[in-house]
Amino acid sequence: MKPEMLPAPTPSAEAHWVEGELVRSLMRTQRDTQWVGLLLMAVIVGVLWGDASPPLLAAWVLLGAAAAGWRYWILRRYEREVVHQGSDEHLAFLRRYQLAFPLSALVWGLTTLLYFDRSSLADQFICWLMMAGLAMYSVNGLSSQLPTLRAYLDTLAVTALAVLAWRMGVELRLQGPAYHWWLVVLLLVFWQVLRHAGLRLHETYRRNFELQFRNAQLIESLTRQTQAALDAVEIKNRFLASAAHDIRQPVHALGLYADWLGTEPELVHELAPKIVESTKAVNQLFDSLFDLARLDSGKIRLNIEPVDVAKLLRDLELQYRPLCEARGLQFRVRVRPGTAVTDPILLQRILGNLISNAVKYTQQGGILLAARTTREGLRVEIWDTGVGIAPVHQREIFREFYKVPSHPGTEDGFGLGLYIVGRLTHILGHPLSLQSRVGRGTVFRLALHPTDPAAAADRAVASIAQLVSRP
């Protein structure tokens, strides 16, 4: 059986998963970012303590603390409610709280009100250096989500530039020192460099997650193919066990005929035709086994045609009567003329397995193979006087490899005979029923309803799908 190939993932499914993982990566960096921000706030306050206006500095600290508190609350909610959820929940969470990032950038951009052209050049240098470091750190922490990173950098740069423009144009009326203009140029260049670096890092993140998604798909596909290969091996194993089960009986019959011929050579003219017929039966069983192998691989073609039931029962009598007589059992056949529309080889396989089971579990008495005409059509019955089947086991006996506990003879079988019968009767549309009494015997009744070729083919395909999907 060819392994079932996993369908290629749709681009939208891959993109959706990748977007969710980018949000997850973004949120993983926020706890560290939180502590870095608080540390820098403390450094800013220490550097500007004697230079900045105390009310202005206090207002900035309160605003920064409020922004940090909000981000901390968002992070806690994420860890409680979203961290183990899927892509949809992560994307929805980011959409709900995405303003927290540009708000933090706004707070840090407003620090320029505290020090730009209001403190010593040394203190200004330290503050500008901390702001540059914060901006670079944000590239590393936020670049997994490019819109979030750009919103942060744009808000930070625009706020700082707005403060510079106000100080230079409104308060100083463009009469300030020349280094102000160089500072504006450096800020613009640095802003664009960070945006470009963020884009490159974001592309790296995205490619990594896309690779993870495709690797996961590949692993799943390989797992499915491996399981399909194991299923195919299991089917072959069942076929080999089935072959050993079904060939034993006709070969045994041939052995008995050969023994009789060796001890009573004068019966050669009587036994030779039976040996020929038994050999044909073996060949037919080989054909049926190979048909079952094709059935298990989904490649069998059912041969539905009118079958002479009387002739089929006589052929089965030729095959199984020597086995019964060798065990001291009677084998009787009651034949009524009639035809059934079915697959002749598979029908012979069904009846052969039922007779074989009857012989195996009957110690005294005999077997009756009978065809009867009912209002619903022709019916074949197999009666035995064997050990019987308790009600608790009557459904289980049609399971693969199931053997009734404590039944004599089960150690010689594979538990396949009735399993095969159950599958084939279902495919052919021949209802099978049984009645049994422990210690008294069993009767199987097979109703030979006409087989519809199309419906039988559909049932065969469904049977294979169910067989391969089993754990």
Side-chain angles (χ1 to χ4, degrees):
M1 178 179 297
K2 293 182 179 180
E4 181 181 356
M5 297 298 293
L6 189 69
T10 61
S12 60
E14 177 180 333
H16 185 70
W17 183 86
V18 169
E19 290 297 335
E21 290 303 304
L22 289 171
V23 175
R24 196 188 300 273
S25 176
L26 169 71
M27 297 306 298
R28 278 197 297 265
T29 66
Q30 294 313 297
R31 183 173 292 278
D32 293 338
T33 302
Q34 192 80 5
W35 290 110
V36 170
L38 293 174
L39 178 62
L40 289 180
M41 284 183 64
V43 174
I44 288 286
V45 171
V47 170
L48 300 179
W49 183 258
D51 296 332
S53 166
L56 195 61
L57 183 60
W60 180 81
V61 169
L62 289 176
L63 184 61
W70 188 37
R71 289 185 64 175
Y72 179 76
W73 177 83
I74 291 172
L75 182 61
R76 293 291 296 168
R77 185 167 185 179
Y78 169 80
E79 292 174 346
R80 289 195 310 268
E81 301 176 4
V82 184
V83 64
H84 298 299
Q85 301 298 319
S87 297
D88 290 332
E89 290 78 9
H90 277 76
L91 292 171
F93 184 85
L94 180 62
R95 286 193 297 268
R96 191 179 304 121
Y97 297 110
Q98 59 187 351
L99 287 179
F101 299 97
L103 177 61
S104 296
L106 176 64
V107 172
W108 283 103
L110 289 175
T111 58
T112 52
L113 284 172
L114 302 176
Y115 61 82
F116 175 63
D117 206 40
R118 300 179 190 277
S119 62
S120 66
L121 288 177
D123 289 346
Q124 289 188 60
F125 176 76
I126 293 173
C127 290
W128 280 115
L129 188 62
M130 285 191 293
M131 183 175 288
L134 181 69
M136 289 187 291
Y137 189 80
S138 70
V139 170
N140 182 66
L142 303 179
S143 58
S144 58
Q145 264 292 314
L146 189 60
T148 301
L149 172 65
R150 286 178 171 173
Y152 186 92
L153 291 176
D154 294 350
T155 303
L156 182 65
V158 169
T159 302
L161 288 171
V163 172
L164 266 62
W166 176 266
R167 177 64 176 167
M168 293 168 60
V170 176
E171 295 183 352
L172 299 179
R173 298 182 181 279
L174 304 179
Q175 299 301 314
Y179 78 86
H180 287 180
W181 295 100
W182 288 111
L183 190 60
V184 170
V185 172
L186 287 175
L187 184 57
L188 289 171
V189 172
F190 189 61
W191 177 20
Q192 297 306 313
V193 168
L194 290 182
R195 283 175 58 94
H196 182 70
L199 174 62
R200 298 292 297 272
L201 190 55
H202 171 77
E203 291 173 347
T204 301
Y205 275 116
R206 181 174 291 276
R207 282 194 296 268
N208 286 340
F209 284 122
E210 288 172 350
L211 184 60
Q212 286 183 29
F213 181 86
R214 292 165 188 170
N215 285 344
Q217 292 291 314
L218 178 60
I219 291 171
E220 184 178 353
S221 175
L222 292 175
T223 301
R224 292 277 295 274
Q225 293 181 47
T226 301
Q227 186 58 50
L230 292 175
D231 290 335
V233 171
E234 179 64 21
I235 289 173
K236 291 178 181 178
N237 289 340
R238 283 196 293 269
F239 163 69
L240 293 175
S242 174
H245 174 273
D246 287 300
I247 294 175
R248 181 184 293 112
Q249 300 299 344
V251 170
H252 190 193
L254 278 173
L256 291 176
Y257 284 134
D259 288 342
W260 288 347
L261 188 60
T263 56
E264 302 181 50
E266 65 276 6
L267 298 178
V268 61
H269 296 293
E270 180 181 349
L271 294 178
K274 294 183 178 181
I275 292 175
V276 171
E277 292 299 322
S278 294
T279 304
K280 291 180 180 179
V282 172
N283 290 333
Q284 289 178 347
L285 274 176
F286 269 115
D287 291 339
S288 68
L289 287 173
F290 288 122
D291 284 340
L292 183 63
R294 288 192 292 271
L295 177 64
D296 283 345
S297 66
K299 298 178 180 179
I300 194 170
R301 293 184 179 179
L302 298 172
N303 181 30
I304 308 302
E305 60 184 30
V307 176
D308 186 342
V309 176
K311 181 180 183 304
L312 177 61
L313 297 191
R314 292 298 183 192
D315 291 342
L316 290 169
E317 177 187 12
L318 177 66
Q319 179 178 334
Y320 286 97
R321 180 180 291 278
L323 300 178
C324 289
E325 292 177 351
R327 293 170 62 94
L329 303 175
Q330 295 182 349
F331 189 88
R332 295 179 296 157
V333 178
R334 297 290 183 267
V335 177
R336 295 187 67 89
T339 59
V341 178
T342 184
D343 186 301
I345 293 178
L346 298 185
L347 178 59
Q348 181 176 358
R349 181 174 178 76
I350 292 169
L351 297 176
N353 279 341
L354 292 174
I355 298 171
S356 174
N357 267 27
V359 174
K360 182 185 300 183
Y361 300 118
T362 301
Q363 304 300 319
Q364 59 183 358
I367 313 297
L368 171 63
L369 175 62
R372 305 185 189 280
T373 303
T374 68
R375 288 180 299 179
E376 298 179 351
L378 204 59
R379 184 175 74 199
V380 176
E381 300 177 354
I382 297 94
W383 295 72
D384 67 63
T385 58
V387 295
I389 306 169
V392 68
H393 300 299
Q394 289 182 9
R395 291 179 60 87
E396 300 297 319
I397 59 175
F398 293 99
R399 288 198 297 111
E400 191 175 16
F401 303 117
Y402 183 82
K403 301 178 183 181
V404 177
S406 74
H407 263 196
T410 56
E411 64 278 2
D412 296 328
F414 293 91
L416 283 172
L418 292 181
Y419 164 73
I420 294 170
V421 167
R423 281 191 64 191
L424 295 182
T425 55
H426 169 71
I427 291 172
L428 295 177
H430 298 332
L432 179 67
S433 61
L434 75 92
Q435 288 181 320
S436 185
R437 294 179 62 184
V438 176
R440 300 291 298 274
T442 303
V443 55
F444 285 90
R445 295 183 174 91
L446 182 67
L448 300 181
H449 296 169
T451 299
D452 179 81
D458 291 341
R459 287 191 293 267
V461 171
S463 174
I464 292 305
Q466 181 180 8
L467 182 70
V468 172
S469 65
R470 292 184 310 175

